[in-house]
Amino acid sequence: VDVIFGDWSGKNAWNDFFSYLKINAKNSDVLDYGCGVGPIIEKVLKFSPKKITGIDISDISKIKAKEKFKNS
């Protein structure tokens, strides 16, 4: 895994986080732990990662995320 991310708090942290991903996620393996239904995965897909893996404790969230991104 080249890029790992989870819970970031605050607007500046999010801006910094997405700036970092824009530079580093391209052609990288990305892990989103605590992915929920995938709102961050949706944004990270724009940065052309090689692979994104999302993990979450909620089975319902994982099912919804898999359905949402089945063609991605």
Side-chain angles (χ1 to χ4, degrees):
V1 174
D2 300 305
V3 180
I4 300 174
F5 58 96
D7 183 25
W8 287 57
S9 300
K11 187 175 182 177
N12 289 335
W14 280 111
N15 290 338
D16 292 345
F17 175 64
F18 284 112
S19 293
Y20 174 85
L21 285 177
K22 187 174 184 178
I23 295 166
N24 293 287
K26 187 172 184 169
N27 296 318
S28 294
D29 293 334
V30 177
L31 172 63
D32 180 2
Y33 60 92
C35 66
V37 297
I40 303 302
I41 291 173
E42 191 169 29
K43 293 179 181 185
V44 174
L45 282 171
K46 297 175 185 173
F47 303 133
S48 303
K50 179 171 52 175
K51 178 181 177 181
I52 299 178
T53 302
I55 59 173
D56 198 278
I57 195 169
S58 168
D59 290 333
I60 293 170
S61 291
K62 289 185 285 190
I63 290 167
K64 289 181 179 182
K66 284 180 184 179
E67 180 63 26
K68 184 176 185 177
F69 298 108
K70 67 181 176 184
N71 296 320
S72 297

